[in-house]
Amino acid sequence: MRATEPDVAGMDNKRQFKRTRFASRVKVDHPRHGSAVFTTGDVSDGGVYIERGAFDLDVGDVVEVQVQGLPMEAPVVRMLVVRSDASGFGLRYAV
């Protein structure tokens, strides 16, 4: 199912998965930069958008992400950086 949402300029933005605004702290482990905590902007069945933080990510980077602040330890998920903009990074679940 495709979700169509207006982007900031009012144009249709076609996405494979519907995004849900969701602010959460996530630990990002990067092979070169180490670990830092970032904040999510939204999530979907396909991935997550994180706001810019302690270090930059490059499109194509593979990182490990873990939600923080839950009552139990969350799983660590491998993710691929698929988008970068002035506000943050789009990450897709990697297999």
Side-chain angles (χ1 to χ4, degrees):
M1 175 183 301
R2 289 189 97 69
T4 301
E5 301 175 8
D7 68 11
V8 250
M11 304 293 290
D12 281 341
N13 185 0
K14 294 189 178 13
R15 299 203 170 255
Q16 186 174 359
F17 303 103
K18 181 178 165 80
R19 293 178 292 169
T20 301
R21 299 286 300 157
F22 181 72
S24 177
R25 292 177 29 245
V26 292
K27 181 173 82 169
V28 176
D29 290 322
H30 189 280
R32 287 188 319 271
H33 302 306
S35 297
V37 175
F38 289 74
T39 301
T40 62
D42 62 55
V43 298
S44 75
D45 287 345
V48 63
Y49 181 84
I50 60 172
E51 298 172 355
R52 289 197 174 270
F55 49 78
D56 282 338
L57 302 173
D58 295 319
V59 172
D61 284 351
V62 176
V63 295
E64 292 184 337
V65 178
Q66 183 183 41
V67 175
Q68 303 294 289
L70 298 177
M72 72 295 232
E73 188 170 331
V76 175
V77 181
R78 285 176 38 92
M79 302 195 85
L80 174 67
V81 180
V82 295
R83 185 168 63 93
S84 175
D85 62 29
S87 300
F89 308 97
L91 310 178
R92 182 179 68 208
Y93 299 111
V95 180

